[in-house]
Amino acid sequence: MNKWNTRIFSVAFLAFSINMSLYSQNKSIYKDKTRSESERVSDLISKMTLAEKIGQMNQLNFDQINKDLEEKIKKGEIGSLLNVTNAEEVNQLQQVALQQSRLGIPLIIGRDVIHGLHTIFPIPLGQAASFDDELVKNAAHIAAVESREKGINWTFAPMLDISRDARWGRIAESLGEDPYLAGRLGAAMVRGFQGNKLSDATSIAACLKHFAGYGAAEGGRDYNSTNIPIHLLRNVYLEPFRKSVEAGAATVMTSFNDNDGIPASGNSFLLKQVLRKEWNFDGFVVSDWASMSEMISHGFAADRKEVASLSANAGLDMEMVSQTYIQNLEQLVKEGKVPVQAIDELVKNILRIKIRMGLFENPFAPTGPGKTYSQAHLNAAREAAVKSAVLLKNNNQLLPLDARKKIAVIGPMADAPHDQMGTWVFDGQKEYTVTPLKALQTEYKHINYVYEPALAFSRDKNKANFEKAVNTAKQADVVVVFLGEESILSGEAHSLSNINLIGVQSDLLAALKAANKPVVLVTMAGRPLTIERDLPNADAVLYNFHPGTMGGPAIWDLLFGKANPSGKLPVTFVREVGQIPMYYNHNNTGRPGPKNPMKLDDIPLEAKQSSLGNSSFYLDSGRDPLFPFGYGLSYSSFEYKDLKLSATKIKPGEKMKVSATLTNTGKYEGTEIAQLYVRDMVGSIARPVKELKGYQKISLKPGETKLVTFELSSDDLAFYGLDLVKKAESGMFNVWVGGSSDSGLKGSFSLEQ
């Protein structure tokens, strides 16, 4: 070879080498964490076959590792698996995905981690009673830490369904009836699950559910239709989702219900217009369990093929378990019924989150010792249980109890380690639950007590041990009765038309009251029960939404005054189910109910057929609930004084300060949750009588006074009015600062354009 040819060969070889190098680099862009997220997503989508793209949209429920499952992963037919909870199995499956599939795309491992994985915190409705953003965030973080130890990297929480009907079992999973509270706490939960970065070793992806309106199921019957008009949907039911999307939530889940005839899993208005276009959500959307295929039962789709077409075109990215995508999308693309470009966009949303989660770098469960059930986790669960309890009644300051007194401990919930954890707990282990009885046998063993369950469980109707329970009560100085409902009586598919204390528990309470001893009623339940008939038989009532692993010692901490109750109700307690729906932020109506309405027995005999001058209330149960939203007592007493507004007029874009002095007028150190409410007096649509716009937790020593200051901006007054544009409208506003939704100091100001 002459010198000239040698040079030509060298140049050609160099060019070939450069091209091969560039090809090699281009080939691995999606695996290169130094490249931008968009570059990685675009590179990977360009390399995928249509079948592989559809595979990413397919989520299956895990049963066991077998050749069929591994083969599907190798072929790229699965994007996510549910309910793999063994770290070794997670790692084995991820190994198959990364090393044996063509493109090495990792799996997302999902699990319902709703209020703790192993260390169980109070149910979400209980956590909402704390009005404590940091507490909720920390509980979610601990759940994330324990989940990652199992290889779980995705949870289906928070549930942001506004819940105004206690018959609906899933109210237990909710954050209550108020969009402001649910929005703040939902965002806190997202930050707790996801940490500073989704790729952190202690972070898991959050999933906002159920999008949207599921909490308004007709009659409180689960999965039922909803009929939420657009203004109510915008102003109430969508608000918590919007705030949690702003907090960076990675995923969203569609709901089971249809609203106004359109099932959520085929609702392009919700998924494309609201979620993507208006809120700029760039994560992915997953259906709820088979909610896509259930559109056939709804009468919205004729068959599974149409289901796949409707959901894909509506913008639903991943299908949970029902497999209509994997079975039908390729054919739908061939027929031109689903554009391949639409498939690409759906898959990009999934890949973006997988990259953001750092799964391409490390999808594996960690090895070595973990923090599950660590003392720090148990301490946090105990603190959460303390701060989630609500004191509803305390006649003659019976509480806190004198530890020198002899206590009669009675009732089926005193030692119910499984039920104490509450609903939607798959991985909690009852042997770790510290019940009230167990706490008396360990940490509180210095207490002199006698114990008689009287009933074996909450539904038990056998009164054979009632006499024994009464005799036990007579031996003591004070009776503490633990009643409520088993965990299975609330949660998904567990709706009730009667929400009294179940079985013969009310009869037990009445029998114990007849023993002429002071009676403390401690409830553990998944919903606000109708306990009006029980209140006369209890001198004090401490309400606990199922409090979790450490509920037992937390309850005694409160009863003996080691801690002072500070929880407030995140949902209205009705007197009886006939009042439902009843919630504090209702419209006024043209004939609002009077403060002291006519009673049924006050109606004269043979009264003329007229309204009798009455207005909006029930003749038998009155106008008001049993306990209003935001209500909760303390062993201390708090006084609000000197409401001041920094301005009586503000303009768009301006802020004002609303302040009041708060004094602890009692003899115990305590924490008050000060609440700010506003009413827009006249709007282009009728506005609620009150809306929560702020809350603060203020701790005070006896006799101490602090200034409580809220900042209120014109943006806080904005709503979707007649024109469906969110804005604040000019006019007069009332404002309150106080300890619940039906109390407080009142002032007024105006917004001027």
Side-chain angles (χ1 to χ4, degrees), residues 559-574:
L559 294 182
F560 286 118
K562 185 177 179 180
N564 193 345
S566 62
K568 300 280 189 174
L569 295 179
V571 64
T572 299
F573 273 49
V574 296

Side-chain angles (χ1 to χ4, degrees), residues 235-486:
N235 288 316
V236 175
Y237 288 90
L238 293 183
E239 271 299 286
F241 289 93
R242 182 184 64 81
K243 291 181 180 178
S244 297
V245 165
E246 290 176 354
T251 68
V252 169
M253 179 187 289
T254 56
S255 57
F256 288 114
N257 60 288
D258 69 276
N259 186 56
D260 196 23
I262 304 174
S265 293
N267 194 322
S268 60
F269 167 73
L270 287 175
L271 301 183
K272 287 186 173 180
Q273 173 64 28
V274 176
L275 193 58
R276 299 290 182 188
K277 186 176 179 180
E278 296 180 20
W279 297 352
N280 298 313
F281 176 69
D282 69 349
F284 73 83
V285 178
V286 63
S287 71
D288 206 338
W289 185 287
S291 67
M292 281 174 50
S293 60
E294 288 174 9
M295 290 195 292
I296 299 171
S297 297
H298 279 283
F300 192 68
D303 52 34
R304 291 171 60 81
K305 187 176 180 181
E306 187 176 9
V307 165
S309 176
L310 285 167
S311 290
N313 285 317
L316 202 159
D317 306 302
M318 182 182 286
E319 179 176 17
M320 185 184 288
V321 309
S322 47
Q323 300 186 71
T324 68
Y325 276 169
I326 198 100
Q327 294 167 4
N328 297 287
L329 275 184
E330 280 199 75
Q331 185 61 33
L332 287 165
V333 170
K334 289 177 184 178
E335 295 173 4
K337 294 179 179 178
V338 177
V340 70
Q341 295 86 353
I343 301 291
D344 285 355
E345 290 306 309
L346 300 178
V347 177
K348 284 179 181 180
N349 295 331
I350 297 169
L351 298 177
R352 185 179 301 115
I353 294 302
K354 288 191 174 186
I355 288 170
R356 205 170 285 175
M357 292 171 71
L359 297 183
F360 285 89
E361 289 72 50
N362 181 22
F364 303 108
T367 57
K371 295 183 178 180
T372 296
Y373 291 128
S374 68
Q375 194 58 52
H377 287 192
L378 295 174
N379 290 345
R382 181 171 180 164
E383 179 188 5
V386 166
K387 292 181 177 179
S388 297
V390 185
L391 183 64
L392 297 180
K393 181 179 180 180
N394 193 20
N395 281 4
N396 301 317
Q397 297 178 326
L398 174 60
L399 298 177
L401 298 174
D402 185 341
R404 297 168 295 181
K405 301 289 187 179
K406 188 174 183 180
I407 310 295
V409 177
I410 296 172
M413 297 301 291
D415 192 32
H418 172 81
D419 295 316
Q420 183 176 304
M421 291 187 289
T423 185
W424 224 234
V425 171
F426 292 119
D427 304 292
Q429 298 159 302
K430 70 176 186 178
E431 55 268 30
Y432 284 90
T433 301
V434 186
T435 65
L437 181 64
K438 189 174 181 180
L440 287 172
Q441 295 167 344
T442 53
E443 182 177 348
Y444 278 93
K445 60 185 177 182
H446 60 284
I447 299 298
N448 183 11
Y449 74 95
V450 284
Y451 169 60
E452 170 52 48
L455 297 168
F457 49 90
S458 70
R459 286 172 290 164
D460 187 2
K461 296 180 178 63
N462 186 351
K463 297 184 179 182
N465 290 322
F466 274 28
E467 185 177 353
K468 188 176 179 181
V470 171
N471 289 333
T472 300
K474 289 178 178 178
Q475 299 173 36
D477 298 307
V478 63
V479 183
V480 182
V481 192
F482 292 87
L483 305 178
E485 59 179 3
E486 298 145 66

Side-chain angles (χ1 to χ4, degrees), residues 5-16:
N5 287 337
T6 301
R7 287 177 179 172
I8 292 175
F9 176 81
S10 298
V11 171
F13 180 79
L14 178 61
F16 174 79

